[in-house]
């Protein structure tokens, strides 16, 4: 789904409107638990952030309608950074020092999060559940960033394992020309090296761009049997369409990509052109939620509010549920220091078929990865 301008504006505001209308009391804003989000809410990389935000909204609104966390409303302040690192850094300063948020939540992107990191660490605040699998934000250990998704290295390993198991071993990569692309590329290299393989070719695409012709030209004569795309949605859509127009042989290339591409947005933009595309996902399959109660919980909430179901929406829902559970375990009135101390000792969280495990020096809660493909009634199969 491509979000309209009016829906973008609605979703980028505080997520508590529905809850405030439903609650039988009047909330005082000074007593809110304020969280801050910086993400691309406009531009070519925006749809995945809106989906994540809609899923988080579903959970936070439910919590607020039931009395909040420790009797206080959760208010999420969302700012648009257009997927630009310098804007994300400025937003982070504003959220921490002007808005005075307790914690940061759901930032999107590797380079953007890296740009925000100095402000986060200096203020002793916490960023929870960023939409990035970057290894540089996990190792060495950073006590201010806590993840609920698997890493890009883990996603790359799943993709390469699946391809090589079916005899696809001449593998090339097209990557975004920034920290995200560089780290994803290293993950693919390592997975291939473990199998005694090397990359068949590499090409780059500028960030936030659909200018893919040079990347297609650079790779089309390498004749890869498999191609891993380390791109965001708009770039990936443009590349796949251009690649599959080259020849019948190019149409037969096994194409794979990772979760931050926004599977739902890519499906909508490509239609049948994307048939057979494989995508690694870091949350359970939301279109058959029987094996993961948290997925069923999300689907029910989305249907009640007439919100489209999506992988990113489920990730937002899971992240909001996890953070709410953590907030409820903070002793006394939550502040930044108490919240960080609670994170380090929280241990395991079972959100309903999606366990998280944290520790004093373990800030990556999940290594769950599952492969899906474009096909079927909902557009995806496992």
């Amino acid at each position: 789904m491509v979000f309209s301008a009016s829906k973008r504006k609605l979703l980028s505001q505080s997520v508590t409107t529905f809850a405030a209308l439903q609650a039988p009391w009047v909330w005082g804003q000074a007593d809110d638990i304020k969280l801050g989000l910086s993400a691309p809410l406009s531009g070519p990389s925006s749809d995945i952030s809106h989906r994540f935000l809609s899923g988080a909204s579903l959970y936070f609104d439910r919590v607020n309608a039931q009395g909040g966390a420790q009797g206080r409303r959760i208010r999420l302040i969302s700012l648009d950074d257009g997927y630009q690192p310098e804007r994300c850094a400025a937003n982070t300063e504003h959220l921490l020092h002007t808005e005075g948020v307790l914690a940061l939540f759901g930032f999107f992107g590797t380079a953007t999060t890296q740009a925000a990191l100095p402000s986060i660490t200096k203020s002793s605040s916490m960023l929870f559940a960023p939409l990035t699998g970057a290894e540089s934000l996990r190792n060495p250990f950073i006590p201010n960033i806590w993840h609920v998704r698997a890493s890009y290295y883990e996603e790359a390993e799943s993709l390469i394992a699946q391809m090589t198991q079916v005899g696809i071993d001449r593998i090339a990569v097209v990557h975004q020309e920034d920290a995200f692309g560089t780290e994803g590329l290293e993950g693919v290299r390592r997975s291939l090296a473990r199998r005694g393989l090397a990359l068949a070719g590499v090409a780059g695409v500028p960030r936030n761009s659909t200018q893919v012709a040079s990347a297609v030209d650079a790779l089309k004569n390498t004749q890869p049997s498999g191609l891993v795309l380390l791109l965001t949605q708009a770039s990936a859509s443009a590349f796949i369409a251009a690649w599959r127009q080259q020849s019948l042989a190019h149409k037969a290339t096994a194409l794979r990509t990772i979760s931050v591409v926004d599977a739902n947005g890519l499906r909508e933009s490509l239609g049948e052109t994307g048939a057979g595309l494989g995508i690694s996902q870091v949350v359970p399959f939301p279109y058959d939620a029987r094996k993961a109660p948290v997925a069923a919980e999300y689907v029910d909430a989305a249907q009640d509010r007439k919100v489209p179901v999506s992988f990113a929406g489920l990730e937002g829902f899971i992240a909001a549920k996890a953070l709410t559970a953590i907030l409820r375990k903070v002793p006394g009135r939550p502040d930044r220091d108490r919240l960080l101390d609670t994170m380090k000792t929280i241990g395991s969280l079972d959100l309903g078929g999606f366990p998280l495990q944290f520790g004093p020096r373990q800030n990556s809660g999940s290594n769950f990865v599952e492969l899906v493909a474009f096909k079927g009634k909902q557009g995806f199969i496992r």
Side-chain angles (χ1 to χ4, degrees), residues 76-95:
L76 179 59
I77 301 167
S78 305
L79 300 180
D80 181 17
D81 60 34
Y83 200 38
Q84 297 298 330
E86 65 277 6
R87 289 176 63 186
C88 183
N91 285 349
T92 303
E93 282 287 299
H94 178 83
L95 290 166

Side-chain angles (χ1 to χ4, degrees), residues 61-83:
D61 283 354
R62 175 190 292 178
V63 169
N64 290 338
Q66 295 172 349
Q70 297 194 11
R72 299 169 65 197
R73 180 178 72 164
I74 297 173
R75 184 157 66 96
L76 179 59
I77 301 167
S78 305
L79 300 180
D80 181 17
D81 60 34
Y83 200 38

Side-chain angles (χ1 to χ4, degrees), residues 150-228:
S151 72
Y152 292 148
Y153 284 11
E154 289 164 328
E155 290 194 69
E157 174 61 23
S158 292
L159 293 177
I160 299 304
Q162 184 274 329
M163 285 193 284
T164 55
Q165 284 168 7
V166 297
I168 300 168
D169 57 9
R170 185 170 172 78
I171 298 170
V173 168
V174 56
H175 67 93
Q176 189 163 285
E177 294 174 331
D178 68 353
F180 155 51
T182 299
E183 295 207 24
L185 177 61
E186 178 61 20
V188 173
R189 287 187 194 276
R190 292 186 181 204
S191 292
L192 288 172
R194 280 193 285 272
R195 295 163 174 85
L197 300 172
L199 282 165
V202 178
V205 174
R207 61 182 287 120
N208 255 0
S209 172
T210 57
Q211 303 304 309
V212 298
S214 62
V216 172
D217 287 343
L219 292 174
K220 66 182 180 182
N221 293 324
T222 64
Q223 299 180 332
S225 55
L227 185 53
V228 177

Side-chain angles (χ1 to χ4, degrees), residues 318-336:
I318 286 171
K321 185 174 184 179
L323 184 53
T324 300
I326 294 160
L327 287 169
R328 286 172 169 159
K329 291 182 179 291
V330 177
R333 187 178 181 87
D335 60 24
R336 291 175 182 173

Side-chain angles (χ1 to χ4, degrees), residues 331-373:
R333 187 178 181 87
D335 60 24
R336 291 175 182 173
D337 290 335
R338 287 176 178 171
L339 180 56
L340 272 176
D341 288 343
T342 301
M343 277 301 323
K344 294 172 185 177
T345 59
I346 196 71
S348 61
L349 291 173
D350 185 358
L351 304 179
F354 190 82
L356 296 174
Q357 181 68 48
F358 298 107
R361 295 190 63 81
Q362 181 179 340
N363 61 355
S364 296
S366 172
N367 61 3
F368 176 91
V369 180
E370 180 177 69
L371 302 186
V372 305

Side-chain angles (χ1 to χ4, degrees), residues 103-297:
L104 302 167
F105 175 81
F107 279 33
F108 177 82
T110 301
T112 43
T113 303
Q114 288 175 340
L117 186 56
S119 295
I120 296 170
T121 54
K122 185 177 179 180
S123 64
S124 299
S125 58
M126 179 179 82
L127 170 59
F128 190 77
L131 275 80
T132 172
E135 197 68 19
S136 62
L137 296 171
R138 300 160 185 260
N139 292 305
F141 174 75
I142 301 172
N144 304 82
I145 301 183
W146 299 80
H147 304 271
V148 299
R149 58 162 34 237
S151 72
Y152 292 148
Y153 284 11
E154 289 164 328
E155 290 194 69
E157 174 61 23
S158 292
L159 293 177
I160 299 304
Q162 184 274 329
M163 285 193 284
T164 55
Q165 284 168 7
V166 297
I168 300 168
D169 57 9
R170 185 170 172 78
I171 298 170
V173 168
V174 56
H175 67 93
Q176 189 163 285
E177 294 174 331
D178 68 353
F180 155 51
T182 299
E183 295 207 24
L185 177 61
E186 178 61 20
V188 173
R189 287 187 194 276
R190 292 186 181 204
S191 292
L192 288 172
R194 280 193 285 272
R195 295 163 174 85
L197 300 172
L199 282 165
V202 178
V205 174
R207 61 182 287 120
N208 255 0
S209 172
T210 57
Q211 303 304 309
V212 298
S214 62
V216 172
D217 287 343
L219 292 174
K220 66 182 180 182
N221 293 324
T222 64
Q223 299 180 332
S225 55
L227 185 53
V228 177
L229 285 70
L230 303 170
L231 304 170
T232 51
Q233 178 196 327
S235 302
S237 180
F239 182 89
I240 292 167
W243 181 262
R244 288 190 162 172
Q245 288 174 359
Q246 297 300 305
S247 70
L248 289 176
H250 289 84
K251 285 184 179 180
T253 306
L255 300 181
R256 301 291 185 267
T257 188
I258 63 176
S259 59
V260 291
V261 76
D262 183 15
N264 296 87
L266 194 59
R267 173 71 185 183
E268 291 169 6
S269 64
L270 284 173
E272 290 304 313
T273 303
L277 174 69
I279 305 178
S280 56
Q281 293 295 345
V282 295
V283 294
F285 194 69
Y287 301 102
D288 181 4
R290 289 171 294 180
K291 293 184 179 180
V294 70
E297 184 183 357

